Amino acid sequence: MRQSAGILLYRISTGGPQFFLVHPGGPFWAGREEGTWSIPKGEFTEAEQPLAAARREFFEETGFRANGPFHPLGTVKQKAGKVVHAWAAEGDIDPAAIHSNTFRTQWPPRSGKWISVPEIDKAGWFDYEPARVLVNPAQAAFLDVLLDHLRNPPQP
């Protein structure tokens, strides 16, 4: 089973919470918006703890470190079968300043031509409703859990 781990960064603005999402890089994703954005995340193996993987992937995809405390958001299963584990953390980074690692892909498919592209080509802060439209449909559950947590914080 393929597993990923990621961090949903959020900040509180005058209009309420905003969520930090990233858009996958490469020609396959060019021009696609709704349902394609994601929390910064990536795959990990059984040897790595999911939260450690989430923190590593956040840095690899954005160039920034997410600092805790981290609030668990649970897991979802995406359409292709990948299980995604997520945590929330409060923070504020400049989307224009992200620096993503790159990967090689064959483009066009089966052409024998290889290109190097960034894992993430853009990032942004979004209010709840626009974020819900842009994010991968399975990951929308993370927005819902975090929004509920922010509106109804646990009592000590």
Side-chain angles (χ1 to χ4, degrees), residues 36-51:
T36 63
W37 289 67
S38 174
I39 66 171
K41 63 169 184 49
E43 291 188 12
F44 66 97
T45 65
E46 294 296 327
E48 189 175 19
Q49 292 296 314
L51 179 55

Side-chain angles (χ1 to χ4, degrees), residues 13-36:
S13 70
T14 54
Q18 292 186 315
F19 307 94
F20 184 78
L21 300 176
V22 295
H23 185 270
F28 178 80
W29 299 106
R32 299 178 187 206
E33 295 292 321
E34 292 184 10
T36 63

Side-chain angles (χ1 to χ4, degrees), residues 8 21 34-39 41 73-86 128 131-145:
L8 176 54
L21 300 176
E34 292 184 10
T36 63
W37 289 67
S38 174
I39 66 171
K41 63 169 184 49
L73 299 176
T75 61
V76 297
K77 188 173 190 177
Q78 295 185 161
K79 189 176 181 180
K82 183 186 289 185
V83 174
V84 180
H85 306 258
Y128 175 77
R132 199 105 179 22
V133 170
L134 292 172
V135 76
N136 175 298
Q139 293 179 34
F142 297 143
L143 300 174
D144 297 340
V145 170

Side-chain angles (χ1 to χ4, degrees), residues 7 9 20-23 38-41 54-66 93-101 119-120 122-124:
I7 294 173
L9 199 66
F20 184 78
L21 300 176
V22 295
H23 185 270
S38 174
I39 66 171
K41 63 169 184 49
R55 295 180 76 182
R56 174 183 50 77
E57 287 291 335
F58 190 91
F59 178 73
E60 288 178 3
E61 293 190 354
T62 68
F64 292 94
R65 298 210 184 273
I93 60 177
D94 179 359
I98 67 161
H99 179 73
S100 176
N101 56 350
E119 273 196 64
I120 301 304
K122 59 186 171 182

